[in-house]
Amino acid sequence: MEVIVQKTPADMSRAAAREVANVLNAKPNAVLGMATGSTPLGLYQELVRLHKRGELDFSHVTTFNLDEYVGLPITHPQSYHQFMHENFFRHINIPPQNIHIPSGTTNNYPAFCAWYEQRIRDAGGIDLQILGIGSDGHIAFNEPGSSLSSRTRLKTLSKQTIDDNARFFERRDDVPVYAITMGVGTILDARRLVLVASGKGKAKAIAQAVEGPVTSMVTASAIQMHREATVIVDDAAAAGLEMRDYYEFIYAAKPSAPKS
Ligand code: PGA
């Protein structure tokens, strides 16, 4: 696992955008796994900026989002369909038919989940999966206790996640209790993983995910089993990392790392 510590959330976003741009430059028809939440917002803004400057083309890109709330219509302001459209897709040149986001309103979840997994396989698998991390250590909505070989399915959100996400809704009771989410196994099948985290609220989860034991109690720790995982954190989110000096030493010596 590569751990990159950056000073600010903006630096974190730029470093993550470089990872995505490298993949798209090498493979213009790459399949990207997308994440929602406040953390990847800066990354999406950076990708949009590169696109507007003519440096990134999404016309052959296919995307698969990690998750969606169950029960919210796609037009709901807090649905992940809306989030992705407003913050990313409407600003780039990706063909709409190449965008995949789990449905939170299907009347047959098992069939939909099986179809979603098949679509990912049909597209050739995910080349790069962007990930955030929950303060309870989740990746996507794989809450504590999720099988580390799980596939796309329905999950019940943890109390911690509902509390964390209540800030986006008028009332805590409005936060959906269920979500449809790629599984940990689905995520581990991606060829590359890039996990971003910022702020002191993520420091404990990052320390557990990067340096703790691999456990379904912290599903982000499963990325330790992936051969091409990069964790990009800002200073505050790195606060609990015991090996931080070592990660910084490695990154400083990396030929492609920008020297500031
Ligand atoms: P956040 O969510 O970026 O809004 O903190 C991250 C997550 O829950 O995966």
Side-chain angles (χ1 to χ4, degrees):
M1 183 191 303
E2 180 182 29
V3 182
I4 300 175
V5 181
Q6 299 281 285
K7 269 203 184 66
T8 67
D11 298 329
M12 173 203 77
S13 300
R14 274 192 294 273
R18 276 196 295 276
E19 302 288 337
V20 177
N22 287 344
V23 167
L24 292 190
N25 288 333
K27 186 177 178 186
N29 63 344
V31 179
L32 296 180
M34 313 305 290
T36 50
S38 352
T39 319
L41 269 179
L43 159 62
Y44 295 148
Q45 282 160 8
E46 186 62 16
L47 292 176
V48 168
R49 200 177 64 82
L50 293 172
H51 169 67
K52 295 230 183 309
R53 284 207 326 220
E55 293 176 26
L56 272 188
D57 173 29
F58 292 89
S59 62
H60 300 291
V61 168
T62 297
T63 62
F64 288 90
N65 263 80
L66 286 171
D67 45 18
E68 177 58 289
Y69 289 120
V70 164
L72 296 191
I74 60 174
T75 51
H76 190 285
Q78 295 309 330
S79 79
Y80 289 165
H81 280 74
Q82 275 296 309
F83 176 98
M84 289 308 299
H85 182 72
E86 284 307 311
N87 294 302
F88 192 46
F89 293 139
R90 79 184 179 91
H91 305 286
I92 59 169
N93 63 336
I94 185 167
Q97 67 273 19
N98 291 8
I99 296 169
H100 304 85
I101 303 176
S103 167
T105 53
T106 171
N107 53 20
N108 188 341
Y109 281 97
F112 181 85
C113 293
W115 175 84
Y116 202 69
E117 291 274 336
Q118 188 60 46
R119 281 297 297 138
I120 295 173
R121 281 193 293 273
D122 291 347
I126 292 170
D127 290 299
L128 182 150
Q129 176 66 57
I130 298 162
L131 296 166
I133 185 171
S135 61
D136 67 354
H138 69 205
I139 40 173
F141 274 132
N142 293 290
E143 301 291 29
S146 292
S147 159
L148 299 186
S149 57
S150 49
R151 313 303 306 189
T152 303
R153 71 217 184 286
L154 269 186
K155 275 303 286 185
T156 307
L157 303 192
S158 73
K159 182 179 172 303
Q160 177 75 56
T161 297
I162 293 173
D163 287 345
D164 287 349
N165 291 4
R167 69 190 192 278
F168 299 115
F169 292 82
E170 243 168 65
R171 296 172 310 139
R172 188 183 184 279
D173 283 354
D174 294 338
V175 184
V177 174
Y178 301 103
I180 181 167
T181 179
M182 276 190 210
V184 181
T186 321
I187 292 168
L188 292 180
D189 281 348
R191 291 182 192 93
R192 281 212 60 198
L193 304 178
V194 173
L195 186 151
V196 285
S198 60
K200 62 177 182 346
K202 297 291 171 67
K204 183 170 170 226
I206 282 291
Q208 289 177 326
V210 173
E211 296 179 341
V214 174
T215 166
S216 64
M217 288 297 116
V218 179
T219 56
S221 65
I223 72 169
Q224 293 178 31
M225 298 191 302
H226 197 281
R227 280 176 296 177
E228 296 277 345
T230 301
V231 174
I232 308 177
V233 290
D234 76 344
D235 200 55
L241 290 173
E242 282 181 24
M243 300 287 283
R244 176 181 173 152
D245 289 350
Y246 179 56
Y247 308 136
E248 292 186 329
F249 176 65
I250 295 170
Y251 189 63
K254 194 177 165 181
S256 62
K259 306 278 179 264
S260 53

